[in-house]
Every structure is written in C-alpha cells, then in structure tokens.
Amino acid sequence: MELEQLRQLVAVKRYGTISAAAQELHISQPSLSRSIHRLEQDLGQELFNRSHNSVSFNDAGELALRHAERILADVRLMEDDFDEMSRQQRSLRIASVAPAPIWRLTALTVERYPGTLLEPVLTSEAEAESQLINRAADMAILLKPTALPTLHSIPLMTEDLFVNVPVSNPLSERTSLSFADLNGQSFLIMHDIGFWMDVTRQKIPDSRLVQQTDRGVFIQLVRTTDMLCFTTNAPENTGPIEGRISIPLVDADAHATYFLVAPRDGAQRVLDIVSWVEQQTANAH
Amino acid sequence: MELEQLRQLVAVKRYGTISAAAQELHISQPSLSRSIHRLEQDLGQELFNRSHNSVSFNDAGELALRHAERILADVRLMEDDFDEMSRQQRSLRIASVAPAPIWRLTALTVERYPGTLLEPVLTSEAEAESQLINRAADMAILLKPTALPTLHSIPLMTEDLFVNVPVSNPLSERTSLSFADLNGQSFLIMHDIGFWMDVTRQKIPDSRLVQQTDRGVFIQLVRTTDMLCFTTNAPENTGPIEGRISIPLVDADAHATYFLVAPRDGAQRVLDIVSWVEQQTANAH
DNA sequence: AGTAATTACGAGGTACGTAACAATC
DNA sequence: GATTGTTACGTACCTCGTAATTACT
C-alpha cells in the first residue's frame, strides 16, 4: 500500500468519479482505475459498489477513507514540520533601524544567495545591537559602526531625506529646506519607518503627523491632499508625483549612513553575505 | 515520500547501521543507502550525522523518526482493520452439540474451500437451532434432522461411544458394556465434549468425573492412572493405549447420528459447503 | 585489515499513457 | 450518443543488485 493510493482514494471520494479524480490528479483514467484496484488487492477488500458507469463507496471503502485521511493528515504534519525547519534554516533575522537598508540588503542577498530568506525587524539602535549580541538577530543595520570588537561593521548605503511639497504650498518655491521651516505643517507619514520617526518627532514637534500603514492609501492621500510628506533617495521610494516637488533637507539629521553589522564568529552564510555586500558597495564607488 | 522509506528509517534506528538494517530488510546495503538519501531529499533535510563509517541520527532525524512511527502505527491500524474484516468474511459460525462432527466438517471444508475459516461454538441442541434461526450461526450440527421448513438437514456422520478400561480392571474381560455397568466408577473426562457430558451425567450419576481441559494432561493421566475414560470411533481420537482396551457401549444413548443443518436461503458459501458435504457423505456409503 | 558508506552501471520490473472495449444513462 | 469504467499493449522510468571506490577504526 502506498501513500499515493490513499491520496487517490480521497480524491475519488471528493470528485465523485474516477474520471474526475484522475483529471484532478493529472494522471490518466486507466492509471487511476488500476491504482485503485491495486489498493483493493492490497487491502483484500472491494472498496466500491461498481457499475460499469460509476463507483460508490461501500462500507469497506468508507473505512479505508477514514484511515486514509488520518494517515495523510499525519503525513502532512510531518511535511509541514520539515518545511518549517527548512524555512528557519534558510532565514536570517535582521534587526534594523530603518526599512530602506533592509530593502537594499534584501536585493543584494537574493542576487547572490537566492535561497536565503531575510526576516526583518525594525527596532531601535540600542535594541538592534543587543539582539545581535544575544544571538536574537543574525545581522543588524545601525547608524554608526559598532565599537564592540566581536562585531564587524561595514558601510551599506546612505539615505537623504527630502520633503515633498504641493506646488500650491509657498514652500515649494524653495530649493532647500530645514526642519525649522517645516515645524507646524501637517505631515502624512508612513508607519514603520524606524528611527526616522524619532527624528521627525524631535525636529518638528509641533506638526500634526497623520500616520498610514497601507502604502497604497498613503500614496492616494499624497495625491489628493495638500499635506506634506517625506521621501528619500532610496530607490524603492515613490517616483515624482504630479503637482508636487521634492526639496532636499539640509539638516545633518536628515542624512543617514547605514552600517551592516554582524558577529565576527557568525554562521558562514552571514559572513558570506557580509563580504558580498562589502564587495558590492566597494564596486559601487 | 513513501511508507517503505519510513519503515527503513525505523529499521536504521533499530539496528544502528545501514548495513545491519539492510540485512534485516532483505535488501542490499547500497539500495538502503540510496533510499535513505531519497528520503532526505524529499524532506529537504539531512537526517544523519554521517561519517564514512557510520551514521547517527541528528535532530531532524529524530523528528522524522517520531513522525514515521506515528504514521506507521496508523498504517498498521488500517491494515489490522482490514485483516480482521477479511477474516470475518472468510469465517463461518458453526453451532454444534459435539466436537467430533466439527472436526469432520472442518476437514471436509478445508479440503474443498481452503480459504474458509470455521468458528465452532459448542452448545445445546435447542440453542444451536435457535442461533441458526437468529442468524447468530451460519450452520449447526444437531442430533436429529430439523423439522423447520426453512432449514435444510443432511446426515453428516455417526459416532459411537466406547469405554476405555485398564486391563487391571475386571471390566476389561467384557466384550461389551452398558452405562449401568459403569455407574460409580471414577472417570477421567475431557472438557468441552458437548452433549456427551449431559449423557454422562444422566447415565452414570454416581460416578466421580475428573474433568480436564488440556488434552496432553488428559492423555498423561489416562496412561498413569487406573481411572476409566470414554473414547469414540471418531478418527481424531487417541489411538490404542498400552495396558488398556476400549469396549463398545451397547446403550442407544451411546450412539449419535449428527446432522448438518443450514438455512435454505443461506449465503452461497454455506450452500456450497452443504452440498459438498452431502456429496462426500453419499460417496462414503 | 576490516567494516561501513557511497558511487557506477547494467538489468529487471512496475506503472504509466494510448488505444480499444464494454456498458449504463 | 455521451460518459464512465475496465482491459490490452508497448514504453519509459525507477529502483534494485553487483561491483568498485573511499574512508574511518
């Protein structure tokens, strides 16, 4: 008796006829018919009331079906366990202070190690570094190189903040702005932007911040309201929007340099990725 | 993934090495090695810590093992259910008033229908007939043809009672005996002899009856004690025993004629057996 | 040296699909 | 006549066993 035969039995029950089941299973009708016959021989019992034109389950068939479903459920449990195990082995936990460097890191990683799965967590800089030390994260993305000798830091990318202004707004005339110019204006702002949220709260404390979790809704609101919003030079950001212009911010806090940090004794995959990223960012210069 | 691979996994655990497991499974070592490799590929995980010289289960292997054992236990449950179903389908319930005609019927049945399994139950004549009517039995063996028109009776065999006497006993001089001659003597007597027990209790009420359930013990006692016992001309009875002789009993109650009784509308197997028996007993005349 | 595991290769068996057939609705 | 299920036949794949190879104890 084979598991495939049990799956076939379940399929025949589900689709009513051998023909229909065979179609669903992507095998020929005679093949399925024979396979079911083999199962009956193995079990020493007819499983169907047969006419030349149809099959219906008899008592033995229903019994076999119950057993089959139980066995197949167990098999699925096993397969799920192993799928989960593979997934965990392929995945690396990334603690980052911002989303943009995660996008960059993900792009670089899938290019060179397509099997790898990154599990990003946005958090504070201190927490990210501590997760790295606790082995709760495999890599971290911080705003400065770490001082700890057990960790290795390499520059990953820079990100510059812009403010996106409707042309109807007087600020749109300016070629550069500082946070001081913006304080008090209403801002549309995305959720989960990491440390940028801290910068915003600190630098424009009097502004009303309208947070959005859904990117589609966010963009829709940007298009249809007069509220300001931030963008950056990260390539994943939205392109130009009609009736709006992006103006660079001159403040030092509007410029971030991200560093990829990993334990020097990390897993081989981690070391591989770090050196690959190092090489790629070096080439980019 | 196939069930056989799970069995192989369990075997490797049990016998420690692939070689030993292969030997137990009656396949070659390379074949088992490949099969295990296929399982690992299917699951996407190495299951063993491998050296060139041995294998030991790693965490994934132990996990697979637990799942495998559960799945295989379920499969065994299924197979057992179907084995039991087949057994029940092959078996016929026989209600009989005595053991000897069951032996005869069994011999005749296995000769012609080797797949059939007889499940004998010793009971009283009235109870046997009623079980037949209730369909609690498929056939019955009675001491007279039934009067009921829905039942069909055919003669099966006759059995004549003898008394087995040590030569040291004065009765051994006689060429024939009656129950009256025996009343008061001690008797070794087998358990489960059907209606013969009733006859005995009725005809020699003053005798002490030493019952035995184990045939080996019974024969041992016959050989080593002076107690009388009964034998019959049924071919399965013990042959002559040194120092003892069997003497026929003349009473009418010491002679039984057995009839095989079955419903006229019984299962085809039952009708087949009845007509086969009828034919065989006719030939014997 | 001896044992255990893996790789190479040829052979056999098994299950597949196509085609033909049978029978019901 | 259309749909459904079973049998016939040739083919392709897959797994097996034997033999050769590698490496550890």
Side-chain angles (χ1 to χ4, degrees):
Chain A
M1 188 180 75
E2 305 198 359
L3 291 174
E4 193 56 31
Q5 290 175 304
L6 300 185
R7 296 194 187 96
Q8 292 169 347
L9 188 74
V10 172
V12 171
K13 178 66 174 189
R14 180 162 180 190
Y15 296 106
T17 70
I18 292 187
S19 302
Q23 210 159 4
E24 290 297 325
L25 295 169
H26 303 108
I27 58 174
S28 69
Q29 185 194 47
S31 181
L32 179 55
S33 179
R34 276 186 307 247
S35 191
I36 292 285
H37 269 120
R38 278 196 298 275
L39 179 60
E40 288 179 314
Q41 281 203 338
D42 288 341
L43 295 175
Q45 291 287 326
E46 302 268 320
L47 302 177
F48 299 99
N49 303 315
R50 287 182 153 79
S51 84
H52 287 273
N53 201 10
S54 68
V55 290
S56 66
F57 282 67
N58 63 19
D59 288 348
E62 296 287 352
L63 177 66
L65 198 63
R66 285 195 298 276
H67 279 293
E69 278 164 350
R70 178 182 174 107
I71 292 167
L72 293 176
D74 287 344
V75 170
R76 261 187 298 276
L77 274 177
M78 179 171 186
E79 291 168 340
D80 288 350
D81 269 12
F82 276 84
D83 286 350
E84 172 62 17
M85 190 178 280
S86 301
R87 206 189 58 77
Q88 282 193 8
Q89 286 180 353
R90 284 204 320 276
S91 69
L92 292 174
R93 296 155 300 175
I94 316 294
S96 174
V97 296
I102 290 177
W103 303 335
R104 182 77 207 284
L105 182 63
T106 303
L108 284 169
T109 303
V110 299
E111 181 183 351
R112 181 74 174 76
Y113 303 99
T116 306
L117 223 72
L118 298 189
E119 287 187 354
V121 178
L122 283 177
T123 182
S124 71
E125 183 147 32
E127 174 66 15
E129 192 167 11
S130 116
Q131 284 188 9
L132 206 55
I133 293 164
N134 302 339
R135 311 277 173 180
D138 299 298
M139 292 189 282
I141 293 167
L142 308 180
L143 289 166
K144 51 185 183 298
T146 181
L148 293 170
T150 58
L151 301 179
H152 181 48
S153 306
I154 61 168
L156 177 61
M157 62 177 279
T158 61
E159 187 176 25
D160 305 311
L161 203 61
F162 294 72
V163 61
N164 189 265
V165 186
V167 291
S168 59
N169 191 310
L171 290 175
S172 67
E173 306 291 332
R174 306 275 292 276
T175 57
S176 71
L177 289 166
S178 71
F179 284 119
D181 302 320
L182 305 173
N183 195 19
Q185 299 267 355
S186 284
F187 272 84
L188 270 170
I189 200 160
M190 273 299 291
H191 195 248
D192 276 340
I193 55 173
F195 84 103
W196 289 120
M197 185 56 95
D198 302 328
V199 171
T200 305
R201 288 225 183 79
Q202 191 182 331
K203 292 295 181 179
I204 51 172
D206 301 328
S207 284
R208 188 166 65 98
L209 303 180
V210 180
Q211 282 199 38
Q212 281 298 327
T213 50
D214 187 285
R215 189 153 196 90
V217 173
F218 178 83
I219 291 174
Q220 194 60 27
L221 289 176
V222 169
R223 290 183 188 282
T224 56
T225 71
D226 284 341
M227 278 190 280
L228 307 191
C229 68
F230 292 111
T231 66
T232 80
N233 60 343
E236 289 81 1
N237 262 299
T238 321
I241 294 172
E242 196 178 351
R244 283 177 169 260
I245 57 175
S246 285
I247 303 167
L249 282 165
V250 296
D251 311 64
D253 286 331
H255 304 281
T257 300
Y258 299 110
F259 293 85
L260 180 59
V261 187
R264 290 187 190 278
D265 64 345
Q268 190 58 46
R269 291 180 307 151
V270 172
L271 302 180
D272 287 347
I273 288 174
V274 169
S275 80
W276 165 250
V277 167
E278 195 165 19
Q279 180 183 329
Q280 288 304 104
T281 52
N283 291 352
H285 279 290
Chain B
M1 189 181 75
E2 304 197 1
L3 291 174
E4 192 57 30
Q5 290 174 305
L6 300 185
R7 297 194 187 95
Q8 292 170 347
L9 188 74
V10 172
V12 171
K13 177 67 174 188
R14 181 163 178 188
Y15 296 105
T17 69
I18 293 188
S19 302
Q23 209 159 5
E24 290 298 323
L25 294 169
H26 302 108
I27 59 175
S28 69
Q29 184 194 47
S31 181
L32 180 54
S33 178
R34 276 185 307 244
S35 192
I36 292 286
H37 271 281
R38 279 196 297 275
L39 179 60
E40 288 178 314
Q41 282 204 337
D42 287 340
L43 295 175
Q45 291 287 326
E46 302 268 319
L47 301 178
F48 299 98
N49 303 316
R50 287 183 153 77
S51 83
H52 288 272
N53 202 8
S54 68
V55 290
S56 67
F57 281 67
N58 62 19
D59 288 348
E62 297 287 351
L63 178 65
L65 198 64
R66 285 195 297 275
H67 278 293
E69 277 165 351
R70 179 182 173 103
I71 292 167
L72 293 176
D74 287 344
V75 169
R76 261 188 296 276
L77 274 177
M78 180 171 185
E79 290 169 342
D80 288 350
D81 268 12
F82 276 84
D83 286 350
E84 172 63 16
M85 190 178 280
S86 300
R87 208 189 57 80
Q88 283 193 7
Q89 285 179 355
R90 285 203 320 275
S91 70
L92 292 174
R93 296 156 301 176
I94 315 296
S96 175
V97 296
I102 290 176
W103 304 334
R104 182 78 207 283
L105 181 62
T106 303
L108 284 169
T109 303
V110 299
E111 181 183 352
R112 181 75 173 76
Y113 303 99
T116 305
L117 223 73
L118 298 189
E119 286 187 354
V121 179
L122 283 178
T123 182
S124 72
E125 182 145 34
E127 175 64 16
E129 192 167 12
S130 117
Q131 284 188 6
L132 207 55
I133 293 164
N134 303 338
R135 310 279 172 179
D138 300 298
M139 293 189 281
I141 293 166
L142 309 179
L143 289 166
K144 50 186 185 299
T146 181
L148 293 170
T150 58
L151 301 179
H152 180 47
S153 306
I154 61 168
L156 177 60
M157 63 177 279
T158 61
E159 187 176 26
D160 305 310
L161 203 60
F162 293 72
V163 61
N164 189 267
V165 185
V167 290
S168 58
N169 191 308
L171 290 175
S172 66
E173 307 290 333
R174 307 275 292 273
T175 57
S176 72
L177 290 165
S178 72
F179 285 120
D181 302 320
L182 304 175
N183 195 19
Q185 299 267 355
S186 285
F187 273 84
L188 271 170
I189 199 160
M190 275 298 293
H191 196 247
D192 276 339
I193 56 173
F195 83 103
W196 289 120
M197 186 55 98
D198 301 329
V199 171
T200 306
R201 287 224 183 80
Q202 191 182 331
K203 292 295 180 178
I204 51 172
D206 302 325
S207 284
R208 188 165 66 98
L209 304 181
V210 180
Q211 283 200 38
Q212 282 297 328
T213 51
D214 186 285
R215 191 154 194 89
V217 174
F218 178 83
I219 291 174
Q220 194 60 27
L221 289 176
V222 168
R223 291 183 187 281
T224 57
T225 71
D226 284 342
M227 279 190 279
L228 308 192
C229 70
F230 292 112
T231 67
T232 79
N233 60 342
E236 289 81 2
N237 262 299
T238 322
I241 294 172
E242 196 178 350
R244 284 175 167 262
I245 56 174
S246 286
I247 304 167
L249 282 165
V250 295
D251 310 63
D253 285 331
H255 304 281
T257 301
Y258 299 109
F259 293 85
L260 180 61
V261 186
R264 291 186 189 278
D265 64 346
Q268 190 57 47
R269 291 180 306 152
V270 172
L271 302 180
D272 287 348
I273 288 174
V274 169
S275 80
W276 165 249
V277 168
E278 195 166 17
Q279 181 183 329
Q280 289 304 106
T281 51
N283 290 353
H285 278 289

